[in-house]
Each structure stands twice: as structure tokens, then as C-alpha cells.
């Protein structure tokens, strides 16, 4: 059976109150996580601190990160779970490219 790979993008917003070091560590954590799961073409684009469209937990700014990768369809579900329980991640959304 052939292993099916899909292209995905994930945007996640980190609480900027954590400070630069914690933000950098979080970005690196998710990049390393995707690489450990055999994902290829991992690209991270940091959009930086931006104003949120609406307040999340009384916060009006967030540090935006876009990450693109190619993986099997099972990994994004696990990534979504980990993003959801990681302290300092305000919101995240994973989409399959080409839809």
C-alpha cells in the first residue's frame, strides 16, 4: 500500500507576553515535532506580532507563525491536539492545501 502525502499549512498564534525566548522555543518545538514525524518540505514563516481581530482571553495582540509541510493525513490531527494543549498558544488552524 502506498503512503499518501498531502501538503498542509498551519497558522498558530502565540501569546506575545511570554517573551522572545519562549516564542522562539515554541516555534522551534513545532518545527522539530513536524520533522520528527517524517514530514518533508517543512517551512516556517514568522509573521511576527500583530493585532488580533478580536480579543482572545483579554489579549489584543498575538505572535503569528505560518508553517507549511508535507505529511501523511494522520499527523495533522496529532499536531492539532498538541497545539491545543501547549501553554501560550492562543489559536491554531490547520488546512490542507489545494482544497
Amino acid at each position: 500500500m502506498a503512503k499518501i502525502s498531502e501538503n498542509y499549512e498551519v497558522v498558530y498564534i502565540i501569546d506575545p507576553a511570554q517573551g522572545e525566548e519562549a516564542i522562539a522555543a515554541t516555534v522551534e518545538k513545532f518545527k522539530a515535532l513536524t520533522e520528527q514525524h517524517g514530514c518533508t518540505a517543512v517551512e516556517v514563516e514568522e509573521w511576527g506580532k500583530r493585532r488580533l481581530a478580536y480579543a482572545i482571553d483579554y489579549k489584543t495582540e498575538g505572535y503569528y507563525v505560518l508553517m507549511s509541510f508535507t505529511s501523511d493525513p494522520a499527523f495533522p490531527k496529532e499536531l492539532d491536539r498538541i497545539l491545543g494543549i501547549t501553554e501560550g498558544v492562543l489559536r491554531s488552524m490547520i488546512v490542507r492545501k489545494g482544497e
Side-chain angles (χ1 to χ4, degrees):
M1 193 166 119
K3 191 173 180 184
I4 301 168
S5 292
E6 298 279 352
N7 292 325
Y8 293 93
E9 279 186 344
V10 57
V11 174
Y12 55 96
I13 306 170
I14 303 169
D15 181 359
Q18 292 195 341
E20 286 180 24
E21 283 181 20
I23 289 170
T26 304
V27 171
E28 189 52 44
K29 170 187 171 178
F30 288 115
K31 184 177 192 292
L33 182 72
T34 51
E35 289 168 347
Q36 285 167 6
H37 279 82
C39 299
T40 55
V42 178
E43 288 180 37
V44 177
E45 199 178 304
E46 295 186 40
W47 292 348
K49 199 196 286 194
R50 297 191 177 179
R51 189 164 188 79
L52 299 173
Y54 55 90
I56 300 172
D57 298 330
Y58 304 104
K59 293 168 179 47
T60 57
E61 287 190 324
Y63 190 89
Y64 284 71
V65 181
L66 168 70
M67 188 166 65
S68 306
F69 59 93
T70 303
S71 81
D72 62 278
F75 174 66
K77 197 172 185 180
E78 176 64 6
L79 178 62
D80 194 39
R81 184 188 73 79
I82 295 167
L83 280 161
I85 59 173
T86 300
E87 194 174 325
V89 175
L90 300 175
R91 286 284 188 279
S92 65
M93 186 170 80
I94 301 173
V95 292
R96 194 166 86 221
K97 286 168 131 178
E99 280 191 351

